[in-house]
Amino acid sequence: MMIQYLVPVVLLFMLIAASIRILPEYKRGVIFFLGRFQSVKGPGLIIVIPGIQQMSVVDLRVITMDVPEQDVISQDNVTVKVNAVLYFRVVDPEKAIIQVENFSVATSQLAQTTLRSVLGKHDLDEMLSERDKLNDDIQEIIDAQTEEWGIKVANVEIKHVDLNESMIRAIARQAEAERERRAKVIHAEGELQASKKLVEAANVMAENSAALQLRYLQTMSDMSNKNASTIVFPLPMDIMEAFRHMKASPAAQARNAGTRPDDLGEG
């Protein structure tokens, strides 16, 4: 008699044990009743009737996905290899299970195609210098398309942009030429500013003859401080005027004296 009751009791306990499911806080269970969507349950203790109900478990934590290396041709016809990392999470377990067969694979394929299409619209310089803007553009495009799958893309980061050796040398030459151009421009601007200051100084000295004499004395003082064998004789500036008159032509001297040059020759 006990055996007749023991078998059903054992089967009942086995059924109950198979029906009990426990989900942690970061997971949800999508329940299907006879193939039709019933509800989303969890976390905690869940009863699933075997054979009648089915449950698909979805992880709600942020998933880090490595986007494989992609060959990209930039807008200026430069071939580069680019890889990235994608951060996303499931916000609607129902859509993630019903709307797409495998949301992880679908998101990975979408990220690869979006990475190639977005970077192909930009030049190489933009890929290297404007990564933040490109990351935002890729994130917005992927997030808009995965919204129907119940997935939220939190962030996209471009990790590496690999160039071939010839392109690296070309970029190095370009950078060197750019530095030389900046150096020449800075030198020219310095010469321009110095010339303006010299003109201002000359105008100040022209207003007062004593300023030029003081500058002359300052120059001699600077020369005397150096350890050199140069001997400097101070020369008054008025003597230069006498030398200027001595270099005047005979015709000018004759005109100044009131005689002709022929009269000077006959004498």
Side-chain angles (χ1 to χ4, degrees):
M1 297 293 295
M2 294 296 296
I3 297 177
Q4 294 179 355
Y5 294 105
L6 183 61
V7 173
V9 170
V10 172
L11 292 178
L12 180 61
F13 275 105
M14 293 177 61
L15 180 62
I16 294 175
S19 302
I20 296 176
R21 304 287 180 87
I22 298 177
L23 295 180
E25 183 67 30
Y26 54 86
K27 288 185 179 181
R28 298 293 184 272
V30 181
I31 307 299
F32 294 90
F33 183 79
L34 295 178
R36 297 178 63 86
F37 170 75
Q38 183 179 7
S39 63
V40 178
K41 294 185 179 180
L45 180 64
I46 300 174
I47 303 298
V48 179
I49 303 174
I52 298 178
Q53 291 180 324
Q54 295 177 346
M55 183 176 69
S56 297
V57 180
V58 180
D59 196 328
L60 301 183
R61 292 176 294 182
V62 175
I63 300 174
T64 303
M65 177 179 294
D66 189 16
V67 181
E69 191 175 63
Q70 303 294 313
D71 291 328
V72 179
I73 300 177
S74 63
Q75 193 173 14
D76 51 352
N77 296 324
V78 178
T79 302
V80 296
K81 294 182 180 295
V82 183
N83 62 351
V85 60
L86 178 69
Y87 302 91
F88 70 95
R89 63 186 181 91
V90 177
V91 295
D92 192 338
E94 177 186 353
K95 291 182 179 180
I97 295 299
I98 298 176
Q99 298 296 331
V100 62
E101 179 181 1
N102 190 327
F103 63 87
S104 296
V105 175
T107 304
S108 176
Q109 295 296 324
L110 179 61
Q112 295 177 36
T113 56
T114 305
L115 183 65
R116 289 195 299 268
S117 61
V118 171
L119 296 183
K121 298 178 182 178
H122 295 81
D123 297 336
L124 178 61
D125 294 340
E126 295 177 353
M127 294 183 192
L128 299 177
S129 61
E130 299 182 2
R131 287 194 180 185
D132 293 338
K133 180 178 180 299
L134 296 177
N135 292 336
D136 294 339
D137 293 342
I138 297 173
Q139 185 266 334
E140 291 178 1
I141 294 174
I142 299 176
D143 187 42
Q145 298 187 28
T146 57
E147 185 178 1
E148 299 179 356
W149 304 341
I151 295 174
K152 173 63 178 178
V153 178
N155 194 14
V156 178
E157 292 289 340
I158 298 174
K159 292 197 298 184
H160 299 292
V161 179
D162 296 331
L163 305 172
N164 53 35
E165 294 296 331
S166 60
M167 184 55 60
I168 293 176
R169 290 193 296 268
I171 293 176
R173 291 195 299 269
Q174 180 182 0
E176 184 178 358
E178 179 67 19
R179 288 193 297 269
E180 292 180 356
R181 183 188 68 84
R182 292 180 181 178
K184 292 179 180 179
V185 170
I186 293 173
H187 180 72
E189 291 179 353
E191 292 291 336
L192 178 60
Q193 294 176 5
S195 63
K196 292 181 179 179
K197 294 299 181 181
L198 289 174
V199 171
E200 293 178 2
N203 293 332
V204 172
M205 291 182 180
E207 295 176 358
N208 192 346
S209 59
L212 184 61
Q213 185 70 21
L214 291 174
R215 183 58 184 166
Y216 174 69
L217 296 175
Q218 181 64 39
T219 303
M220 288 194 302
S221 177
D222 294 339
M223 294 175 61
S224 63
N225 293 330
K226 297 180 180 180
N227 296 326
S229 59
T230 305
I231 299 175
V232 180
F233 292 97
L235 185 65
M237 299 300 295
D238 296 337
I239 298 179
M240 302 302 296
E241 297 294 334
F243 282 115
R244 232 182 250 112
H245 289 295
M246 292 177 62
K247 291 182 179 180
S249 62
Q253 295 179 4
R255 284 195 298 270
N256 293 334
T259 60
R260 293 182 304 171
D262 296 338
D263 298 337
L264 296 174
E266 292 177 358

